[in-house]
Amino acid sequence: NMKDTLVIYTSDHGEFMGSHGRSRRKEHPHEESISIPAILKMPDTIKKDSISTELFSSVDIVPTICGLLDIEIPDFCQGMDFSPLLKGAEEFKGPEKVLIEMVNNPRWNLDFLDWRGFVSDKYKYCFYEDGSELLFDLEKDPYEMENLAFKNAELREKMKKDLLELLLETREPFFDVIINYGHSMNEKDIDI
């Protein structure tokens, strides 16, 4: 019965397609790479033609499916159940921040680095394993052209603290050590 069938259209990543000087690449935290579609259809359950601008992540898919199918959400799920929103609830608030990350980057080029970061309604912050940082004001700079990481030290430190809290909350096993104790991999920053 199609009325009882849940159809989901999504992707695991985007594609730069020339943006930021990158082609056939996907492993950096810019919107072209991390912004993915999430289209869900279940005729008798999901409110027709509803669109949301809430922050939604791939970890939200399993809890949302469970919610739509009235199945108990496993304790190990880190995502959020968006089924109330999809069913038409007017009082629904998504997460304030969404963790974004590149884990075990394929190392066929030296700029393939692991990183952790987050997106909020206003900001995106990322910390690379080599100590590089990105900070974008998404409201003023939606195309992510101006890295504010070293133009606003106070904001950068707040974002770093927020990322560390998010990593702790999501049980990230080691990147907090790199952020707190790692050293820059740039030659100019290393005393030999």
Side-chain angles (χ1 to χ4, degrees):
N1 183 351
M2 285 306 291
K3 291 185 176 186
D4 295 334
T5 302
L6 171 61
V7 177
I8 301 173
Y9 173 80
T10 189
S11 174
D12 62 337
H13 61 80
E15 163 61 55
F16 278 100
M17 297 180 69
S19 294
H20 299 282
R22 294 184 170 99
S23 290
R24 298 184 317 228
R25 300 288 294 264
K26 62 178 183 178
E27 70 287 337
H28 291 281
H30 300 87
E31 285 300 292
E32 293 87 349
S33 179
I34 68 162
S35 186
I36 61 169
I39 301 171
L40 292 85
K41 182 173 182 174
M42 192 174 186
D44 283 350
T45 305
I46 296 176
K47 185 179 171 188
K48 187 178 179 185
D49 298 327
S50 59
I51 297 174
S52 174
T53 58
E54 296 290 333
L55 294 172
F56 184 83
S57 180
S58 57
V59 297
D60 300 319
I61 293 173
V62 169
T64 301
I65 290 171
C66 291
L68 289 169
L69 301 177
D70 295 321
I71 298 171
E72 186 175 335
I73 299 169
D75 290 340
F76 59 80
C77 283
Q78 294 180 347
M80 185 174 200
D81 176 9
F82 276 69
S83 67
L85 176 67
L86 296 172
K87 292 176 181 179
E90 293 186 24
E91 295 296 320
F92 181 87
K93 180 70 178 128
E96 291 183 18
K97 296 180 191 79
V98 170
L99 179 69
I100 55 176
E101 60 187 351
M102 175 50 72
V103 179
N104 297 325
N105 216 327
R107 304 294 179 157
W108 61 69
N109 197 342
L110 292 177
D111 69 339
F112 281 65
L113 299 170
D114 283 355
W115 49 266
R116 305 295 186 273
F118 71 85
V119 178
S120 69
D121 285 338
K122 184 165 173 56
Y123 294 108
K124 179 184 291 174
Y125 172 76
C126 293
F127 191 98
Y128 284 83
E129 66 182 315
D130 71 349
S132 302
E133 296 173 77
L134 294 178
L135 173 58
F136 298 110
D137 182 330
L138 298 174
E139 288 179 353
K140 294 179 182 173
D141 181 23
Y143 299 109
E144 302 170 322
M145 303 302 289
E146 183 180 7
N147 183 4
L148 302 175
F150 294 96
K151 294 181 179 181
N152 188 333
E154 185 178 335
L155 180 60
R156 182 186 74 238
E157 290 307 311
K158 182 196 179 319
M159 297 292 110
K160 187 184 294 185
K161 181 178 177 274
D162 287 353
L163 175 58
L164 286 165
E165 288 173 6
L166 192 56
L167 292 174
L168 180 63
E169 180 183 314
T170 57
R171 303 184 302 273
E172 156 67 53
F174 75 94
F175 221 81
D176 59 328
V177 175
I178 292 172
I179 293 171
N180 284 320
Y181 305 105
H183 293 280
S184 173
M185 294 171 67
N186 297 317
E187 268 186 52
K188 65 181 185 318
D189 297 334
I190 298 173
D191 293 328
I192 299 176

